[in-house]
Amino acid sequence: MSTVDVELDITGMTCASCATRIERKLNKLPGVEATVNYATEKARVRGEEIDPAALIAAVESAGYQAALPAPPPVGSSDEGAAPAADGELVSLRQRLLISTALALPVAVMSMVPALQFEYWQWLALTLTAPVAVWGAWPFHRAAAVNARHGAATMDTLISVGVIAAFGWSLYALFFGGAGMPGMTMTFTLVGAPQAGGHEIYLEVAALVTVFILAGRYAEARARKSSSEALRALLELGAKDAVKIVGGVEQRVPVAQLVAGDIVLVRPGEKIPSDGLVVDGSSAIDASMLTGESAPVEVGVGSRVVGATVNVGGRLTVEITRVGADTELARMRRLMEEAQTGKAKVQRLADRVSGVFVPVVILLAIAAFAGWLIVGGSLELAFTAAVATLIIACPCALGLATPTALLVGTGRGSQLGILIRGPQVLEQTRKVDTIVLDKTGTVTSGTMAVTAVHPTDGVTSAELLAAAAAVESGSEHPVARAIVTETGPVPAAETFASHAGFGVQGIVNGSLVVAGRPSWLQEQWGITPPADLQREADNLEAAGATVVAIGRDGEHLGIIAVADTVKPTSAEAVARFKALGMTPVLLTGDNDGAARHIAATVGIDQVHAGVTPAGKLDVVRRLQDEGRVVAMVGDGVNDAAALAAADLGLAMGGGTDAAIAASDITVVSGDLLVVADAIRLARRTLGTIKGNLFWAFAYNVAAIPVAMAGLLNPLVAAAAMALSSVFVVTNSLRLRGFRPAPATTSTLTSPDSRVPARV
């Protein structure tokens, strides 16, 4: 029976404790494994034969609301989510502004005795009542819902603290002496146990509400800002396309395209969906998807990705993928998975917040009772209890991981780095060995002419022209490389191909043959000069494919064709070393070619002649040696090794199997971006741990001070709200992450064109 995933949109959560409670409810259902993310307000449920209605009922039984998401089609903007998020912000902002306007006069009067006129306390009560009731209503409502279900959350702490401060003030005003004319009070940042508390706490009830609302507003802004990258990704796609039907152009919505359709893309227009260029040549701006600033040249046979922009000539494209199968849709799914999942550090925060609230309430009761037992005044006991409730509220704890994860993965998507899940962050920190596939990863995977050696009396241009003319009739990668080197040439007449050996044809009235040197010698009696034979042997030993060319029985020379090292591979290897990782080259190519490439880019450890199963064995052997292994690859033959590695990184131009098996996808296929991906993941993990440290340290340090009666509840509320703002601000610093600039020029010397197996 297959396992299915169901995603739910959750509403009504106000803190990480809410998410923990919903998660427990869902996980009580038989055969269900659920995770709930407070920051994204989503639940991801995995299991067999899942009934969505049962899931929604379980969430509602916990006091919250849930619904199945209705995502818009890729290529359209996320118009439904934005108004909902904006509505939450507008409501919070309105509540915050009105509460602030009412609370500020109360605070000023309470803190400045010179402003306390004869009946000032009654004006303060009039201004505070709407703030404590209406302004704090979201906290009271959430606390009531939780109480009905026998639970307590961070909202419980806030609600109890505000109600206690306001209720005590009402008692003091109506039944105590605080309502008498001429009553005055002063404000102190640090209290003294022997002094007792003030008689009324209206400023505490008002300003605690304002500070908490400000913190919640900052959280909502952060969540909205953090999800902008995903929304921007959805808006990247084209809205319509010019479809060619029977030679007639028709403008249609992108949603109506199917695989096999032919579309026309003019300069300045977006590619409507993934496809292949069937006519024309141009430059494509893929910066929004790959992070590459320079346009990429494309021509007939080139793969193009939807949402990229045609900045050059006119292109005719055959659509190969539409809807959920496109690169853009895959990027969206990867981002959602990354933002909805949970790392171990986040689970720790959830567990702590789940038990923290009841413990804090007990500590507040203990502080209240303790001061009464040792002879402290009722006011002092009350001050200590309220301050303990407020200062301990661990809102920052619940925000520490999800905000950093949201910002980090969002920034990664802007740079063409797709992080599959939060567990990846912890894996990147431990990696000490990075295994690199050769073809398509370290090298371009495209054959090119790397050396031209004509016989005496023959020019290089003459040699290349003869070879290109006879090879133009072949579709072999070696032939394509030679033809590409020279450009268009007249095709040979009476062309004939000899599979595995070479080709022949009539060029300008002469018989030209091109192929293996041994074939020319054995079949045509064309023997190369001794110096060219030695050069051919050296090139073949290094892994190049050597093509010998003869004309009318005479040897014209040899041409070497090979894969080429990517311009940035050497610098990327240097950066891996700087990050504390040992690079290893892993390839099915011959040992000579592999070692030549390894020497070119600076890799010392080489495993050559390895089968796909052998690649898996090498990864496992390295792990058995105690190494934490990252694997970088792009082909189907790399998929097993990518899945087995502690951290799998797939190049974006590779196969779907490789990408599906990986933890991180680098859209551009540039090894330098792999180094940036690891840096970003480590930076995000560092931010999470920093957030958690300060959230824990803040609570641990402040609770004893509050219980000792040395902390004014007003200061406690401000400090608690500021801790949440600090965590959010610290996470948003990840938006400034920049790829490390290249420190070396791109490789253009002959040494960069190294031999490889065809």
Side-chain angles (χ1 to χ4, degrees), residues 140 154-168 201 204-205 208-209 382 385-387 389-390 713:
H140 301 324
M154 298 178 212
D155 286 306
T156 305
L157 298 182
I158 299 168
S159 179
V160 170
V162 170
I163 290 174
F166 187 65
W168 174 271
Y201 293 92
V204 172
V208 163
T209 300
F382 177 77
V386 172
L389 285 172
I390 295 171

Side-chain angles (χ1 to χ4, degrees), residues 544-678:
T545 297
V546 175
V547 180
I549 296 89
R551 182 175 59 193
D552 292 337
E554 295 182 358
H555 199 285
L556 293 184
I558 60 173
I559 299 174
V561 176
D563 196 355
T564 54
V565 171
K566 291 181 179 179
T568 55
S569 291
E571 185 175 349
V573 169
R575 291 189 185 179
F576 296 148
K577 293 178 179 178
L579 289 168
M581 297 181 290
T582 301
V584 177
L585 187 65
L586 185 61
T587 177
D589 215 342
N590 66 72
D591 189 70
R595 294 196 178 278
H596 194 107
I597 290 174
T600 302
V601 298
I603 298 176
D604 297 324
Q605 297 186 35
V606 179
H607 296 271
V610 182
T611 64
K615 290 184 177 184
L616 176 61
D617 292 339
V618 169
V619 169
R620 287 178 172 166
R621 187 161 63 247
L622 290 170
Q623 291 171 327
D624 291 340
E625 294 173 2
R627 303 196 199 185
V628 180
V629 180
M631 170 75 189
V632 186
D634 73 325
V636 174
N637 59 347
D638 300 320
L642 285 167
D646 299 285
L647 178 69
L649 299 104
M651 308 305 267
T655 64
D656 291 343
I659 292 173
S662 66
D663 300 303
I664 295 177
T665 300
V666 175
V667 176
S668 68
D670 187 345
L671 266 185
L672 278 181
V673 184
V674 172
D676 289 329
I678 293 173

Side-chain angles (χ1 to χ4, degrees), residues 110-351:
S110 301
M111 298 178 188
V112 183
L115 299 178
Q116 296 171 2
F117 53 89
E118 189 172 4
Y119 288 104
W120 72 272
Q121 66 271 41
W122 294 102
L123 175 61
L125 174 63
T126 303
L127 295 174
T128 301
V131 179
V133 178
W134 175 79
W137 182 249
F139 315 129
H140 301 324
R141 181 180 56 210
V145 169
N146 292 323
R148 284 201 304 270
H149 292 85
T153 67
M154 298 178 212
D155 286 306
T156 305
L157 298 182
I158 299 168
S159 179
V160 170
V162 170
I163 290 174
F166 187 65
W168 174 271
S169 299
L170 289 176
Y171 171 81
L173 285 169
F174 286 99
F175 302 104
M180 301 298 294
M183 189 276 289
T184 61
M185 57 184 288
T186 58
F187 174 78
T188 58
L189 291 176
V190 179
Q194 67 273 15
H198 296 303
E199 292 184 351
I200 61 174
Y201 293 92
L202 292 174
E203 83 284 2
V204 172
L207 287 186
V208 163
T209 300
V210 168
F211 286 140
I212 303 302
L213 283 173
R216 289 288 168 86
Y217 180 68
E219 293 171 24
R221 283 286 299 269
R223 289 203 300 269
K224 182 176 184 294
S225 176
S226 300
S227 61
E228 284 298 327
L230 181 57
R231 187 171 298 126
L233 192 63
L234 295 174
E235 293 173 350
L236 280 179
K239 304 300 184 294
D240 50 32
V242 177
K243 180 179 175 182
I244 300 177
V245 181
V248 178
E249 298 180 9
Q250 297 179 359
R251 187 164 291 275
V252 298
V254 168
Q256 293 182 10
L257 293 178
V258 297
D261 282 347
I262 304 297
V263 298
L264 179 66
V265 186
R266 296 182 174 88
E269 294 182 341
K270 290 182 179 180
I271 307 292
S273 193
D274 296 1
L276 289 173
V277 177
V278 295
D279 186 39
S281 62
S282 181
I284 298 295
D285 179 3
S287 58
M288 290 300 291
L289 288 177
T290 67
E292 294 180 354
S293 57
V296 180
E297 297 293 332
V298 297
V300 175
S302 298
R303 185 174 72 96
V304 291
V305 178
T308 55
V309 180
N310 177 18
V311 296
R314 180 185 176 108
L315 292 176
T316 303
V317 177
E318 179 184 353
I319 301 300
T320 57
R321 292 177 178 175
V322 295
D325 296 328
T326 62
E327 187 82 15
L328 190 62
R330 181 166 58 189
M331 290 176 67
R332 176 191 175 182
R333 286 194 298 271
L334 287 174
M335 282 186 62
E336 287 181 334
E337 288 173 10
Q339 294 180 351
T340 306
K342 289 192 176 186
K344 293 179 182 177
V345 285
Q346 183 174 348
R347 293 184 183 279
L348 173 63
D350 288 344
R351 288 197 300 271

